[in-house]
Amino acid sequence: MVEEMNFDSVLQKFKIEAKKTFPIEEYAILVGTVDPTGEVELADLWWPEGRAAFCTSSAVQVQASWWRAARRWASTNNYTLLGDIHSHCYETPRHDATPSEDDIDRFDSSYFKYIKNRPFLMGICTISKDRQGRLRARSRLWPIQKEGKSNKIML
């Protein structure tokens, strides 16, 4: 379970940055702690340097080097890698914050080696314009579990 207070503040931090980059998608790695009982506390975001070169209006090309760098940073700051979050950008109103099939399929076994013995948290933040042209944000974390050769959203 993700601690509610940190969950909200971390997601708010991401929403602010995602609105700044709209209509280009934004990306960050979720970091926090996991206690011996498996309780997860989302504490912060780690932002890959140079990520703008790999983000477009329809996709983020996640780089393995980002995960290696995040793991080094997290270990020096007593954090664990919990997953990642990225935005979906729309010019018209949208109210969902669900992963696309491509989002689920993009995870291969190399990502799961950073997340030991628990689901990977995939954050989706939908940024869309309302009828007055103002940017609105909605976000959600989805636990993803590796099952054989495929990935499954745990509901």
Side-chain angles (χ1 to χ4, degrees):
M1 172 165 271
V2 177
E3 185 176 58
E4 200 65 15
M5 186 176 68
N6 286 335
F7 173 84
D8 289 339
S9 61
V10 171
L11 291 183
Q12 184 61 29
K13 185 176 177 180
F14 186 84
K15 289 175 186 179
I16 290 167
E17 293 304 313
K19 285 180 177 180
K20 289 178 188 176
T21 63
F22 182 89
I24 304 300
E25 292 191 8
E26 182 57 280
Y27 180 86
I29 294 177
L30 303 166
V31 297
T33 59
V34 181
D35 74 16
T37 67
E39 185 83 10
V40 173
E41 181 182 338
L42 179 59
D44 207 347
L45 299 165
W46 183 85
W47 305 91
E49 285 188 41
R51 67 189 177 279
F54 299 95
C55 297
T56 69
S57 61
S58 61
V60 175
Q61 295 174 322
V62 177
Q63 304 297 298
S65 62
W66 297 350
W67 282 87
R68 290 189 298 272
R71 183 174 53 184
R72 286 190 299 273
W73 180 88
S75 68
T76 62
N77 290 282
N78 296 315
Y79 285 133
T80 298
L81 301 183
L82 303 175
D84 67 5
I85 185 169
H86 71 279
S87 58
H88 289 174
C89 300
Y90 301 98
E91 293 288 335
T92 57
R94 291 287 294 259
H95 302 290
D96 64 336
T98 57
S100 67
E101 288 297 320
D102 287 341
D103 290 334
I104 296 167
D105 291 344
R106 80 176 163 89
F107 288 96
D108 61 27
S109 59
S110 65
Y111 292 110
F112 285 94
K113 73 182 176 186
Y114 298 102
I115 310 296
K116 304 285 187 204
N117 302 318
R118 61 186 162 71
F120 183 100
L121 295 177
M122 177 191 291
I124 302 294
C125 177
T126 296
I127 306 293
S128 64
K129 289 184 179 178
D130 66 13
R131 290 186 181 110
Q132 289 76 38
R134 296 174 297 210
L135 291 179
R136 301 293 185 196
R138 176 174 294 228
S139 57
R140 182 169 176 191
L141 293 182
W142 298 86
I144 307 292
Q145 185 70 51
K146 189 79 173 160
E147 287 196 353
K149 294 184 178 184
S150 62
N151 303 318
K152 176 184 174 187
I153 294 180
M154 298 172 58
L155 300 175

